[in-house]
Structure formats: structure tokens, C-alpha cells
Amino acid sequence: MRVLNITGSVSPDNVDASINRFDQYFRDHAVTTMIFGEHDRRVARHFERQEMDFVFLGEGMLTPQLKALRYIFANRNEFDVAHVYGSPQVFGTLPTAISNVVDIPMIIRFNGYKNPDSELKRRLTRFLEFYLLKRSDASVFISNEQKREVLQSLSIDSPESVRVIPPGIDQKWFDPASSSDASSVRSEYDIEDNDRVIGAVLNPRPVKRLDRAMDILKETRHRMDDDVYLVVIGDSDYVTNVQRYASRIGVAENVIWPGRKATDELAAWYSAFDVTILTSERESFGMSISESYLCETPCVVYDVGGMVDQVIDGETGFRIEPYEIDVFADNLIRLLEDSDMNEAFGKKGQEYVRENFTYSSVSEQYRTLVTALSNHSALGCRHHDSE
């Protein structure tokens, strides 16, 4: 069975992760990836090394779209299913429009939220989302809360064609690190063994609300005898704004900024944390939470987006109503002070994530979906809501 995977530009820095994700999603199928972006030799070499077919469509809007339509028409007998990965409003609308003509079932994956600044763009985005949900053979959201929010914004009930399939975590990178490895990253920043460490792994930007994390750190330090540090893994231009805020409220000396870390370094950091937190105001999924659980580190989060799926409140961690500072600190301190609870939550969280959010689970869900769509197409009974 062959899958046509349609995606936006692929960065040379992220190409290995992207290829691995596509390979894991369609583990049992041959995949050709159609890329909306200029030909990049570095990206091409990675695809070639993995023996995965690919085609670049070029930059811009009109010409790449026309090339995509031409490619799909010319190769319509070669593919059993098409899959749009990311920004389907941009890359999936025209392929979906012709999917009936070329008889290729279409899967649309909504990886995040689209909230343009202008009212005109918001209306256009909502219109395209509505069209894609009605016309695609299957629409995939990455969390139940993302699905609920998008469908609610469009004032439609959940069609039978809608699925929730998480992004998937590559479990090979995330296991509890040895105590010596965890101690090593702590000692690198002069963190003592009896100090408490809160961790956040993210791309710092306004929606992540790191200012809230600083407020929580201040409240937590005020209530605890032991010294408490917040370690933020990640980097961006926005960090300087957060650092200024941390200085203003008097916690800057207890915030550590190691910067970005390679994937193979993250397990040691998660294992060095006593608790992982996420204080985002919106979060379609939040990969760092599942990664943390695989390393047996429990989490405290605001109850938004993918947190609803990943954190079992009171069993693997705590989900806090946005934007409670005191309640967040209360539950964070419980996990910092109660080692038995901390260990139990971490172990149960690891078990839950392994069962639901690793690539093995996601691959099986995609295999079932692709097989069902291909069979329906062969029988001439594809889903399309024409209203």
C-alpha cells in the first residue's frame, strides 16, 4: 500500500525527526513525501539515505499548488491514500478538492491552532477548516481538547470521519537516566542534591506564559525551606523578556537557562527534574509532558489542550485551572515534598504514556485508518459530506 504524504517545507535541522515521524506513522506502507518548498540538497540526502521517495514543489503559493495538482493527476493510480501533514488550510485544500476526481482518499492532520491576527484571515482560516472537515475522508487532531475547540469554533458536531491520533513519542530517546547522569547535569549548574528542581522544556514564546512559571517559582520558594530552582530548556529571542521579568520579581538567581539541548541529552535533564511543569495558555499537545513521564518525572500543568489527554489528575500529576498561581504552587509542593507520591505518579505516568502516546501506539492507529480508507475506496463507498 502506498501513501502520498503532503507537507510544508522541511528544515535541514529537523529533517531526521520529520522522516522518522513519517516512517513511524506509515510503518507498513511505502511513502512518497511531497514537499511545499525549494529543493534542498541536505534535506534530499536525508530522504535518500532512508530510501524514502520525495518531490520538492518550490516556494510560493500558486506555482507549487499547480505542480502538486499536476503530480497528483499524473500519479493518481500509484497511491492508495493521501495524508496532509501540518497547515492543511494551506497545503491540503486543493488536493482535497480533487480527491474525488483522482479517487485517492484524503487524510487531513491538524497539528496545531491557526489564529491569524486579522479578522479577514481568521474568517478565511475558519472557512477552510470547515471545508476540509466536511470534504476529507478523515480528519486527525492531535488531542481531544484541540478537536473540541476547533469543532466548537466552527459550530459543528463531530463528524464520524474525525479521529484523535497524538503526535507520537520516540521512546528510544526517553528512559530514566542513571542517578549519576542526573547528578552530573545538576552539578554542572551548582545545584545541590538536596535542592529542588522544577523543569520546563519548551520553545520560549508568549503563549507558553513563562511569566506564570516565574510567579509560581516565587510562590513555591516562599513556602519551602529547601532551595528551589527552575530550569528552562529551550531558547528564543523571547527569553530576554522573561529574564527581565524574573529579575523584577526577585527570582532571577533561581532560574537556570541551559539553552536548547539535543534529543539524546533530554532524558538526563528530565531525570534531574523533581517535577516538570507547563504553564501555557494554549497547547495543542505539549510533547515535553509525555517525554517527562517516560523518564518517570511527574508533571503539574495548566488544564489546557493536550494536558487533558496526557495528565491523569491526581494519579500521574495535577492539572490546574488557568491561571491559578497559589493552587499550582500547592500541588507542586506536594510532589516536591512527598517522595513516595512523586515516585508513584512518575511510574504510573510512564506506564500510561507507553500505552497511549508512543510511536508503536500511533503507528497502529494510522495502520487501521489507512487500511479502512483504502478498503472503502476500493469498494466505492468513500465518505464525503457534500453539505
Side-chain angles (χ1 to χ4, degrees):
M1 202 174 297
R2 290 194 61 86
V3 175
L4 175 62
N5 184 54
I6 303 169
T7 187
S9 61
V10 178
S11 164
D13 296 331
N14 296 323
V15 61
D16 283 333
S18 298
I19 291 174
N20 187 42
R21 190 173 298 280
F22 302 151
D23 185 55
Q24 293 293 332
Y25 283 179
F26 306 111
R27 191 179 295 175
D28 301 324
H29 311 300
V31 180
T32 295
T33 297
M34 190 163 65
I35 304 167
F36 278 82
E38 290 291 351
H39 186 279
D40 188 301
R41 246 182 300 179
R42 293 168 297 174
V43 171
R45 281 198 295 268
H46 285 272
F47 274 94
E48 289 164 354
R49 278 201 293 268
Q50 296 301 318
E51 298 181 344
M52 185 179 287
D53 293 337
F54 62 94
V55 56
F56 288 95
L57 298 173
E59 294 285 356
M61 286 298 296
L62 181 59
T63 300
Q65 296 281 355
L66 293 175
K67 286 182 179 179
L69 295 182
R70 199 157 50 234
Y71 182 87
I72 293 170
F73 269 111
N75 297 278
R76 60 187 177 276
N77 296 321
E78 300 296 320
F79 299 106
D80 300 285
V81 172
H83 174 260
V84 180
Y85 179 83
S87 298
Q89 302 91 336
V90 179
F91 308 121
T93 302
L94 288 181
T96 299
I98 67 165
S99 64
N100 255 359
V101 177
V102 296
D103 196 27
I104 302 176
M106 184 68 62
I107 303 170
I108 298 294
R109 184 176 183 89
F110 293 88
N111 275 343
Y113 297 104
K114 283 284 185 182
N115 290 293
D117 294 334
S118 74
E119 180 62 24
L120 178 61
K121 289 181 179 179
R122 274 196 295 273
R123 287 177 179 273
L124 178 59
T125 297
R126 297 291 92 84
F127 171 80
L128 293 175
E129 288 173 345
F130 185 90
Y131 176 82
L132 291 167
L133 282 163
K134 290 290 187 177
R135 295 295 299 166
S136 62
D137 295 272
S139 300
V140 176
F141 291 95
I142 64 178
S143 71
N144 281 288
E145 187 65 10
Q146 181 208 21
K147 167 190 160 185
R148 185 194 67 79
E149 288 188 23
V150 171
L151 294 182
Q152 187 178 67
S153 73
L154 300 173
S155 300
I156 60 175
D157 295 327
S158 179
E160 292 182 5
S161 58
V162 170
R163 306 283 193 280
V164 175
I165 303 178
I169 307 293
D170 194 342
Q171 190 176 335
K172 72 180 180 183
W173 299 113
F174 300 101
D175 276 314
S178 66
S179 56
S180 62
D181 285 346
S183 295
S184 176
V185 297
R186 280 179 170 239
S187 61
E188 186 178 345
Y189 292 89
D190 298 321
I191 302 173
E192 303 291 339
D193 288 340
N194 61 337
D195 292 336
R196 309 296 181 162
V197 179
I198 309 162
V201 179
L202 43 75
N203 176 23
R205 48 201 173 99
V207 73
K208 299 296 184 178
R209 293 311 301 264
L210 277 171
D211 57 327
R212 301 283 186 183
M214 302 301 147
D215 293 335
I216 292 162
L217 173 64
K218 180 179 180 178
E219 184 65 25
T220 303
R221 288 185 65 235
H222 177 70
R223 298 195 208 171
M224 291 190 67
D225 295 328
D226 294 329
D227 216 350
V228 182
Y229 290 91
L230 171 61
V231 176
V232 182
I233 304 295
D235 195 15
S236 73
D237 294 339
Y238 182 66
V239 165
T240 55
N241 294 334
V242 183
Q243 289 171 333
R244 281 196 293 268
Y245 182 74
S247 296
R248 192 159 66 245
I249 66 171
V251 298
E253 291 186 0
N254 285 71
V255 184
I256 296 170
W257 303 87
R260 293 189 185 93
K261 295 295 175 183
T263 302
D264 60 1
E265 298 178 79
L266 289 176
W269 281 103
Y270 284 122
S271 299
F273 301 160
D274 294 298
V275 179
T276 298
I277 66 171
L278 199 58
T279 54
S280 302
E281 64 183 27
R282 300 194 83 187
E283 195 70 59
S284 54
F285 189 74
M287 303 279 280
S288 65
I289 299 306
S290 281
E291 293 170 357
S292 178
Y293 278 128
L294 287 175
C295 298
E296 296 186 1
T297 300
C299 304
V300 182
V301 300
Y302 280 134
D303 195 9
V304 299
M307 305 304 101
V308 179
D309 293 348
Q310 294 178 83
V311 180
I312 306 175
D313 190 42
E315 296 184 35
T316 67
F318 296 106
R319 300 200 313 265
I320 311 301
E321 189 72 20
Y323 297 99
E324 295 281 355
I325 301 298
D326 291 346
V327 178
F328 200 113
D330 287 341
N331 288 279
L332 179 58
I333 290 169
R334 290 174 66 186
L335 284 172
L336 291 173
E337 292 186 336
D338 189 334
S339 59
D340 290 338
M341 176 189 285
N342 189 296
E343 182 178 356
F345 278 26
K347 288 184 180 299
K348 186 166 185 177
Q350 182 193 60
E351 179 183 343
Y352 181 66
V353 168
R354 282 178 173 173
E355 289 176 357
N356 294 283
F357 302 116
T358 57
Y359 274 146
S360 58
S361 171
V362 171
S363 177
E364 178 60 25
Q365 292 177 72
Y366 261 112
R367 186 192 66 78
T368 301
L369 176 58
V370 168
T371 300
L373 291 179
S374 180
N375 289 343
H376 285 175
S377 179
L379 293 171
C381 51
R382 289 174 55 201
H383 160 81
H384 273 300
D385 189 337
S386 59
E387 296 181 11

